[in-house]
Amino acid sequence: MRTPLKTVLGLFAGLTLCLTPQATAMPGPADQPAGQTRQAAAARPAADAAADPAYKVLVFSRTAGFRHSSIDDGIAALRSLGTANNFTVDASEDPQVFTTGNLAQYKAVVFLSTTGDVLGDGQQTAFEQYIKGGGGYVGIHAAADTEYNWPFYEGLAGALFHSHPAIQSATVKVEDRAHDATAHLGSTWQRTDEWYNYRSNPRTSARVLASLDESSYSGGNMSGDHPIAWCKDYQGGRAFYTGGGHTDESYSEPAFRRHLLGGIRWAAGMTEADCRPETGYTSLFNGSSTTGWRQAGPGGFTLADGSLTSYGGLGMLWYAAKEFTGDYSLKLDWKAAGDDNSGIFLGFPASDDPWSAVNNGYEIQIDATDAADRTTGAVYGYKSADIAARDAALNPPGEWNTYELRVTGERLEIFLNGRKINDFTNTDPVRSLQQGHIGIQNHGDGDDVAFRNIRIDEAGGTTPGPRSGPVKGVNGKCLDVNGSNTADGTKIQIWTCNNSSAQTWTVAGDSTIKALGKCLDVSGGGSADGTKIQLWTCNNTGAQKWAPQADGTVRNPQSGKCLDASGGTWNDGTAVHLWTCHTGPNQKWTLP
């Protein structure tokens, strides 16, 4: 759960009002090329980076196989990073530290070049409970050469070691420059290390942050798709892995140390990122060229370090090369320097007048301190974001954020750093999300917002892989696992939303809905009204299949009945059961 300090800091993303229709005339459109030289403007001061609240990290480096000489250097580097970044490192090779009580004090556990079987059965159980309760995992290098017979660990690490060639220099392709572990890097990263091949490709289950260019070195065997660093949400917790770190010298490299720091900060919940798997997207702006884009109105965007940064305005840079029709998913990374304002426009006709986007399309806002219907995550002037969800997902000024804007019919779902924060349906017959262009706004002098990695998936407007977040129901309450208990048969209820792991559900492609590593289940596979809904070990039966309906209900196809909050008062602790579908408010659910 996001700390109060981070939440408060996250609010200072911008203050000035966004582009809205008004009676006074706007300056006429100017034909300005994208990326032109920035004119002088009174820039607002950037927000000072605030320290993370103090936290603790456990570094575990037990080896039951090959022992890396770099382990001591790694521990020293992590201690140094902790001293500089407000976390304390406890280092141990004693598996007895893996107890439920002891692990509870740590925000993240780092497996530093562990090898072989390093934990006993009871210790594995304690670690699984730690992760399912929201704990963080960081795997470094030979952490992938660990616990081959423990399926939970293989899923947590993302992939296990297969082989490696000799130590050599290679080109690392940085695929995600929004995550804190890779935002400091360029599009490529040349470095020397021992480059692991893996037994499987983690791309389908994790967000790949960086991969190897197998043509740049000898010995890669992953057919040209060779992830080397990734992150994922896993059974209620967070998991980050990097394949670097074999050599002693790695731990004195500033860029690699910053890479480790970003992985630790994310795993510990100090920063947010979209770590859902991602495939199928086509780049609209890849960091090197604005081909296909046009500036509408005054001001513009500078192009540097793979980013477009706004200046002047009011104006808009829009993608003129193509009008998008039908369903799609648009993703982009953005960062506010301080108290800044911008937005993303969807569904407007081709025009060099930015007012056309205002009057005919929809704007998804960037400005966390404005009114509710014009704040970060809002559909500007139409629908506020879920503020609590937004605050929990938002990174503060100076850190990158990722939006996914998913259009399905006239429905627009907004995801911030992988968490759903808004769900809007267009009912205006004059406007349509199903046809139009996209654009990014340059709001005015001093509103410095940067954009990176703008990409689109036109294959149905969905993100491959599972989606995680709260399931919200009647009175805005969340579907909740009673007491965060993971025992089979645990009651499912509604409760005031609190962003805990007991309220973090993963909606998977196999029609299951999971929390804490187990499945939402109809007790005994029953079909009678009032049948208990519970948490149960996933078993792929019809009792664990759920089908969201267009009317907002969630149906169990085997019984033909709906997920229902019992009774008519719906207080905290109200049980959820199976009931004949009737589309009442206690059967309406919003899924991630």
Side-chain angles (χ1 to χ4, degrees):
M1 182 175 175
R2 185 55 86 78
T3 65
L5 176 62
K6 291 286 287 180
T7 299
V8 171
L9 292 172
L11 292 175
F12 292 95
L15 182 59
T16 59
L17 296 180
C18 192
L19 189 60
T20 54
Q22 54 186 350
T24 56
M26 176 184 168
D31 294 327
Q32 297 170 311
Q36 63 184 280
T37 303
R38 179 173 181 167
Q39 299 170 349
R44 301 179 187 184
D48 292 333
D52 293 331
Y55 61 101
K56 295 180 70 175
V57 170
L58 173 64
V59 177
F60 185 59
S61 55
R62 186 185 185 199
T63 54
F66 181 83
R67 185 170 183 84
H68 286 74
S69 64
S70 60
I71 286 176
D72 289 343
D73 291 308
I75 293 172
L78 295 174
R79 289 193 190 279
S80 175
L81 287 171
T83 299
N85 294 279
N86 215 27
F87 64 88
T88 302
V89 169
D90 289 341
S92 178
E93 298 200 353
D94 183 358
Q96 299 300 321
V97 300
F98 282 78
T99 66
T100 300
N102 189 55
L103 291 176
Q105 66 183 304
Y106 300 109
K107 290 288 188 180
V109 177
V110 180
F111 277 56
L112 174 60
S113 284
T114 50
T115 54
D117 294 332
V118 292
L119 297 178
D121 291 347
Q123 296 145 10
Q124 290 179 356
T125 298
F127 189 53
E128 288 188 22
Q129 291 174 343
Y130 167 78
I131 294 296
K132 291 174 181 178
Y137 162 86
V138 174
I140 301 175
H141 193 57
D145 189 20
T146 301
E147 294 288 356
Y148 289 93
N149 297 313
W150 182 14
F152 175 88
Y153 184 83
E154 181 176 3
L156 181 71
L160 295 178
F161 169 79
H162 175 268
S163 60
H164 66 80
I167 296 170
Q168 59 192 295
S169 178
T171 300
V172 178
K173 298 179 292 184
V174 181
E175 298 189 21
D176 185 325
R177 297 186 67 206
H179 194 286
D180 196 52
T182 45
H184 64 292
L185 300 170
S187 59
T188 59
W189 184 21
Q190 196 72 29
R191 63 181 306 271
T192 297
D193 215 316
E194 180 184 75
W195 302 112
Y196 276 8
N197 298 308
Y198 301 95
R199 298 184 178 194
S200 59
N201 192 315
R203 190 176 294 278
T204 58
S205 63
R207 174 63 170 130
V208 175
L209 305 177
S211 57
L212 293 174
D213 178 354
E214 288 193 333
S215 69
S216 69
Y217 73 106
S218 299
N221 71 356
M222 296 185 68
S223 302
D225 183 14
H226 196 140
I228 198 64
W230 52 82
C231 62
K232 65 193 301 187
D233 295 309
Y234 187 71
Q235 296 196 20
R238 296 182 176 200
F240 168 86
Y241 172 83
T242 180
H246 172 86
T247 66
D248 298 355
E249 294 78 11
S250 292
Y251 297 97
S252 61
E253 293 177 31
F256 185 72
R257 287 165 63 103
R258 184 63 184 82
H259 178 59
L260 295 180
L261 173 62
I264 291 170
R265 291 189 70 231
W266 177 78
M270 299 297 128
T271 187
E272 300 298 320
D274 188 345
C275 284
R276 298 172 297 169
E278 182 178 310
T279 58
Y281 283 78
T282 300
S283 177
L284 301 182
F285 169 66
N286 62 8
S288 61
S289 171
T290 54
T291 300
W293 295 82
R294 291 176 60 178
Q295 178 67 28
F301 289 80
T302 57
L303 172 55
D305 190 30
S307 303
L308 292 166
T309 302
S310 64
Y311 70 90
L314 300 160
M316 175 184 66
L317 183 66
W318 62 289
Y319 192 69
K322 184 174 182 180
E323 184 177 38
F324 295 100
T325 59
D327 297 346
Y328 62 87
S329 168
L330 176 70
K331 281 191 177 184
L332 49 79
D333 306 330
W334 61 269
K335 178 177 71 173
D339 182 8
D340 299 293
N341 183 303
S342 186
I344 299 96
F345 287 104
L346 304 178
F348 60 90
S351 176
D352 283 325
D353 179 0
W355 284 111
S356 177
V358 175
N359 295 326
N360 299 289
Y362 287 105
E363 180 187 3
I364 294 78
Q365 179 72 326
I366 297 172
D367 180 352
T369 61
D370 210 333
D373 67 345
R374 55 191 65 181
T375 185
T376 296
V379 181
Y380 189 88
Y382 289 88
K383 187 175 182 180
S384 170
D386 179 328
I387 299 301
R390 189 283 306 275
D391 287 352
L394 179 65
N395 288 324
E399 295 188 23
W400 287 91
N401 292 275
T402 298
Y403 264 157
E404 181 194 358
L405 311 177
R406 184 186 300 167
V407 172
T408 310
E410 292 296 337
R411 181 187 186 189
L412 170 62
E413 297 170 272
I414 301 173
F415 297 79
L416 175 63
N417 295 322
R419 311 301 177 190
K420 188 173 179 177
I421 62 168
N422 206 341
D423 196 331
F424 168 77
T425 299
N426 169 47
T427 58
D428 185 343
V430 177
R431 304 178 191 234
S432 177
L433 289 163
Q434 285 282 286
Q435 183 169 359
H437 290 268
I438 66 168
I440 55 176
Q441 183 190 63
N442 54 296
H443 183 269
D445 287 342
D447 282 319
D448 300 327
V449 177
F451 296 88
R452 278 180 176 173
N453 196 14
I454 305 173
R455 65 263 195 208
I456 197 164
D457 175 10
E458 297 180 81
T462 59
T463 299
R467 310 190 309 272
S468 295
V471 174
K472 293 192 174 181
V474 64
N475 293 343
K477 293 184 181 288
C478 280
L479 197 66
D480 179 279
V481 180
N482 184 31
S484 299
N485 196 327
T486 59
D488 283 350
T490 298
K491 168 189 173 184
I492 303 299
Q493 59 191 7
I494 58 171
W495 198 273
T496 300
C497 298
N498 55 30
N499 296 308
S500 69
S501 58
Q503 296 181 358
T504 301
W505 297 87
T506 299
V507 181
D510 60 358
S511 301
T512 57
I513 301 177
K514 302 177 182 178
L516 303 174
K518 293 194 174 182
C519 281
L520 191 69
D521 179 279
V522 179
S523 179
S527 60
D529 282 353
T531 299
K532 176 184 177 182
I533 301 298
Q534 60 189 6
L535 196 71
W536 199 268
T537 300
C538 298
N539 55 30
N540 202 37
T541 64
Q544 297 180 353
K545 302 299 182 183
W546 300 94
Q549 305 297 304
D551 60 9
T553 61
V554 177
R555 185 169 300 177
N556 171 241
Q558 177 173 274
S559 65
K561 294 192 174 179
C562 283
L563 191 67
D564 178 287
S566 64
T569 54
W570 308 312
N571 296 319
D572 284 353
T574 296
V576 174
H577 59 195
L578 198 69
W579 201 267
T580 300
C581 298
H582 55 66
T583 71
N586 58 323
Q587 291 190 352
K588 297 292 183 69
W589 305 91
T590 301
L591 275 62

